Amino acid sequence: MSASVNTVDRDRLARALDSANMPSLVAVLYQLTGDHVWLEAPYLPTRSRGMDDNDAGGFAPEVAQTIRAAALAAISEWANGTPPAIPSPSNGQLVEMISAAVGESVPPEFASMIAEDMGFVAADAQAVTASALSVIVIGAGVSGMLAAIKLREAGIDHVVLEKNSDVGGGWFENTYPGAGVDTPSHLYSYSFAPRSWSTHFGKRDEVWQYLSDVATDHDLRDRIRFDTEVSTSVYDAERQRWTVTTTSGEVLTADVVITATGQLNRPKVPPIPGLDAFRGPIFHTAEWPEGLDLTGKRVAIIGTGASAMQVLPAIASTVEHATVFQRSPQWVASSDVYFAPIDDDVSYLMETVPLYRLWYRARLAWNFNDRVHPSLQVDPEWENPARSVNAINDAHRRVFTRYLENALEGRPDLIEKSLPDYPPFGKRMLLDNGWFAALRRDNVTLVAEGVASIGADTVRGQKGTEVEVDVVILATGFETHKLLTPIDVRGRSGRSIRDGWGPEDAHAHLGITVPDFPNLFLTCGPGTVLGHGGSYITIAECQVRYIVDVLKLMSDNRIGAVECKPEVEEDYVRRHDEAHSRMIWTHPGMDNWYRNDAGRVVSTLPWRIVDYWEMTHSADMGDFLVEEAREASSV
């Protein structure tokens, strides 16, 4: 990290430091000065509560002032040309620093991942020389854009096929009111592409703008064919090539196909009797009608998952009445910064002092990623398995219950309907974005019933509650288990991948490669969605790094085809399922979109992110059946 001399306005910096996250500042101060006193009492922050930012760090005012004054001096010296005392911390130093910053012990195996994410250790170079490989990437969302960026850096010829008219995937498609991330903005970013975010939890328009800006900065649109949807992808074993056909009949060929179609891209519409009978607007949240005006309308929202929780607070003040039909309630957590904008002082600090931004992001990564993972393991000796899976999980339950009861104080009817009877984290935790406040409104009714039928102007619950409505909003989720649908993907044997997976039982080694499908690589594949929290972009970076590493080895060694060995995938799937059998998502007391009708968890990652990072950090060609290249080719 370096700075141009005299680039920092000392008075401006002093004002910005008044708004700094103190635990992050402590780590910066130690790295700049090398003085170990900053990692000792009284300068050790307290532990963050839940998902809070802990900006004050638990410091007494005089201690906080001492830290700010020292930081002002150290940052000013750095800006005037003094290099950091510890430019690239050792693994031991990193563990000590992050542990101090988060107020608890971080396991030593996190050091390598943190060092690479923060740029203290350069990622392995993946450039190839004179590659003859050609690649088709299907999808230009988060993963597809990342693949295109890294393929270009590696010098590998490629084209991206995208069904929409611009980049962004789900962030392009989902325009419903209130849409946004439930992962902090600074964490929901590519590690190599920071942004000066306006809010701690970005709304849809800013998230899409971020992705659009990344596409522009990396000239991605020149390599993307928009409004191009893939119909089939068929492998030719003799030619060691894939033939991809679009819905318009265009045919393309390439050596390698990378799918980046995601798991939350095909709306799920349940077969509710009477769907076609409704006379007013009825639509899925992912297909929100442009220009829709809900002013004065009677609206039914079917579902209480993440989308519903975002939609209701956004429309509650506009509609005449909103009725929410709930099959089962969700656990909701608070956040001290959910509604707070990121002020100019914080943005100035992040832009002026890169180390501050890096440490702030590193703290977010710990608090929102793997920190909670150990508490999601089932304790077979636990005495209260119906309400929680272990003692820590039960403590989480008490905290979330208190928050719910306080938010709905005076409304015992809402408390009864809203309090889940399954363990916390059994479904993805949701952040309160005004949900409880919206439920308390006089023009909002929560019906604790699934929907039995829809009439011409009514919605009827399974217990008989019937309401007249003008608009029906289906917040019913996505076809998460039907991966790659509706694309017909056929491998070496000519068999469709759906024949091997069945309707909802996808499996793949590392969630990336599948036997019988040479040179096919999946992103956001089975078992790689994050259920315990965190940013999927981190997983996407792991997957794309692994894929490009395989392609580099193929190019450098004139390999024409790689195919995951069946026994390798079988072993991985066995370990995947065994890990899930010991985790909360197999709890019998609830349904979630992570597991299929047979009870197998299909979508979520059972391991910590750091474990998956290690698994995918470099490719082992011993996992593949390898064929020498027969002929050179291009897209």
Side-chain angles (χ1 to χ4, degrees):
M1 184 188 76
S2 61
S4 300
V5 176
N6 298 321
T7 58
V8 173
D9 180 327
R10 190 179 176 92
D11 291 339
R12 179 76 177 86
L13 177 61
R15 292 197 304 274
L17 288 171
D18 286 339
S19 299
N21 175 270
M22 297 303 293
S24 301
L25 200 59
V26 166
V28 172
L29 189 51
Y30 172 64
Q31 191 168 352
L32 288 178
T33 66
D35 190 342
H36 197 271
V37 69
W38 301 114
L39 299 185
E40 301 169 6
Y43 305 114
L44 290 174
T46 56
R47 182 177 184 269
S48 298
R49 292 181 301 106
M51 299 177 182
D52 288 349
D53 259 21
N54 194 26
D55 278 338
F59 294 118
E62 61 274 15
V63 175
Q65 190 53 43
T66 298
I67 294 170
R68 290 192 184 98
L72 177 62
I75 294 170
S76 297
E77 290 180 11
W78 162 77
N80 285 313
T82 301
I86 309 173
S88 298
S90 68
N91 280 2
Q93 288 172 321
L94 273 176
V95 170
E96 185 179 19
M97 292 165 77
I98 190 65
S99 295
V102 300
E104 61 185 317
S105 178
V106 175
E109 61 266 28
F110 281 82
S112 295
M113 183 175 72
I114 293 171
E116 189 169 294
D117 186 75
M118 297 181 75
F120 298 143
V121 175
D124 294 338
Q126 292 188 298
V128 298
T129 56
S131 173
L133 285 176
S134 58
V135 179
I136 291 174
V137 180
I138 303 175
V142 167
S143 297
M145 289 173 55
L146 178 63
I149 291 169
K150 295 305 178 182
L151 287 170
R152 185 174 198 175
E153 290 178 358
I156 297 174
D157 190 24
H158 63 281
V159 65
V160 183
L161 307 181
E162 169 54 51
K163 63 182 173 67
N164 294 322
S165 59
D166 209 338
V167 299
W171 293 110
F172 177 81
E173 296 167 352
N174 286 266
T175 61
Y176 60 83
V181 295
D182 59 2
T183 300
S185 305
H186 285 100
L187 192 57
Y188 197 83
S189 311
Y190 298 116
S191 61
F192 54 85
R195 178 183 179 85
S196 180
W197 293 93
S198 67
T199 62
H200 290 275
F201 290 86
K203 292 303 183 184
R204 178 267 173 191
D205 288 354
E206 188 171 11
V207 176
W208 180 81
Q209 189 61 56
Y210 167 72
L211 295 173
S212 177
D213 291 345
V214 169
T216 298
D217 294 342
H218 291 268
D219 298 321
L220 294 188
R221 290 181 176 87
D222 292 342
R223 288 167 276 151
I224 301 173
R225 298 188 187 184
F226 293 109
D227 301 307
T228 303
E229 184 168 4
V230 172
S231 174
T232 65
S233 184
V234 179
Y235 186 69
D236 184 334
E238 290 300 316
R239 298 177 60 214
Q240 298 175 316
R241 288 175 68 76
W242 284 92
T243 298
V244 173
T245 305
T246 71
T247 55
S248 66
E250 183 181 5
V251 177
L252 302 91
T253 63
D255 303 303
V256 173
V257 167
I258 299 173
T259 66
T261 54
Q263 291 192 35
L264 304 178
N265 71 322
R266 299 286 173 177
K268 182 176 184 178
V269 178
I272 302 172
L275 273 175
D276 296 335
F278 191 73
R279 291 184 299 208
I282 181 169
F283 51 87
H284 192 278
T285 51
E287 298 169 333
W288 196 273
E290 185 176 356
L292 177 69
D293 185 2
L294 295 178
T295 303
K297 302 293 186 182
R298 299 168 300 173
V299 176
I301 300 175
I302 299 176
T304 52
S307 298
M309 190 164 287
Q310 293 179 342
V311 167
L312 178 64
I315 68 171
S317 63
T318 300
V319 301
E320 176 184 316
H321 199 93
T323 303
V324 182
F325 285 86
Q326 169 188 273
R327 283 195 307 168
S328 64
Q330 304 275 359
W331 284 108
V332 180
S334 65
S335 170
D336 60 344
V337 297
Y338 188 89
F339 295 102
I342 297 175
D343 64 34
D344 292 341
D345 285 338
V346 172
S347 294
Y348 174 82
L349 192 57
M350 289 193 176
E351 292 169 7
T352 306
V353 188
L355 269 183
Y356 176 81
R357 175 181 57 78
L358 291 173
W359 278 108
Y360 182 78
R361 175 180 159 98
R363 288 189 70 256
L364 287 177
W366 172 253
N367 285 336
F368 276 80
N369 289 355
D370 288 339
R371 179 191 192 189
V372 76
H373 189 270
S375 71
L376 306 184
Q377 311 303 309
V378 176
D379 177 359
E381 304 300 322
W382 181 240
E383 297 177 352
N384 302 297
R387 55 175 281 129
S388 51
V389 296
N390 56 47
I392 297 176
N393 186 242
D394 200 61
H396 288 154
R397 183 186 184 96
R398 294 193 296 272
V399 169
F400 298 143
T401 298
R402 282 197 301 270
Y403 176 70
L404 180 151
E405 291 173 341
N406 289 335
L408 298 176
E409 185 178 6
R411 291 293 305 273
D413 58 322
L414 288 178
I415 292 175
E416 182 181 3
K417 293 176 182 177
S418 300
L419 185 62
D421 60 0
Y422 56 86
F425 295 94
K427 303 181 183 183
R428 183 175 173 97
M429 287 296 304
L430 302 177
L431 291 180
D432 187 7
N433 65 330
W435 172 256
F436 288 143
L439 290 181
R440 297 180 67 106
R441 292 177 62 96
D442 292 338
N443 68 331
V444 173
T445 300
L446 178 63
V447 178
E449 303 173 29
V451 173
S453 63
I454 296 176
D457 57 2
T458 60
V459 177
R460 184 179 180 83
Q462 292 175 339
K463 296 179 182 178
T465 301
E466 187 171 43
V467 295
E468 293 185 357
V469 295
D470 306 305
V471 179
V472 176
I473 300 171
L474 303 171
T476 49
F478 297 86
E479 297 286 5
T480 54
H481 300 151
K482 298 179 180 179
L483 276 74
L484 305 184
T485 299
I487 305 171
D488 185 10
V489 181
R490 295 183 178 270
R492 179 188 296 277
S493 67
R495 187 174 68 155
S496 170
I497 200 167
R498 289 201 292 274
D499 291 339
W501 284 347
E504 55 172 20
D505 197 26
H507 46 81
H509 176 53
L510 299 172
I512 298 174
T513 65
V514 184
D516 194 43
F517 293 85
N519 298 1
L520 174 70
F521 301 95
L522 318 179
T523 63
C524 199
T528 62
V529 169
L530 288 172
H532 67 281
S535 171
Y536 170 71
I537 293 180
T538 304
I539 297 297
E541 291 192 355
C542 290
Q543 294 168 341
V544 170
R545 179 185 58 226
Y546 176 89
I547 293 167
V548 173
D549 193 40
V550 174
L551 300 186
K552 178 182 182 298
L553 292 169
M554 290 178 67
S555 180
D556 291 348
N557 296 282
R558 295 200 74 254
I559 296 171
V562 294
E563 178 184 346
C564 181
K565 294 177 179 176
E567 62 271 23
V568 169
E569 193 218 25
E570 288 171 6
D571 179 67
Y572 179 85
V573 172
R574 176 188 57 77
R575 290 185 289 111
H576 168 279
D577 291 350
E578 287 179 353
H580 270 306
S581 72
R582 299 186 293 270
M583 293 195 71
I584 193 169
W585 299 304
T586 57
H587 191 281
M590 73 212 163
D591 293 322
N592 57 46
W593 64 263
Y594 301 152
R595 67 187 187 213
N596 62 20
D597 289 342
R600 178 174 178 262
V601 178
V602 177
S603 297
T604 21
L605 186 74
W607 295 290
R608 300 175 301 175
I609 292 174
V610 69
D611 300 322
Y612 191 72
W613 181 88
E614 181 64 33
M615 291 176 188
T616 57
H617 197 258
S618 60
D620 181 354
M621 295 305 280
D623 291 340
F624 296 92
L625 300 170
V626 175
E627 297 175 359
E628 185 178 349
R630 299 193 184 114
E631 61 180 59
S633 56
S634 61
V635 174

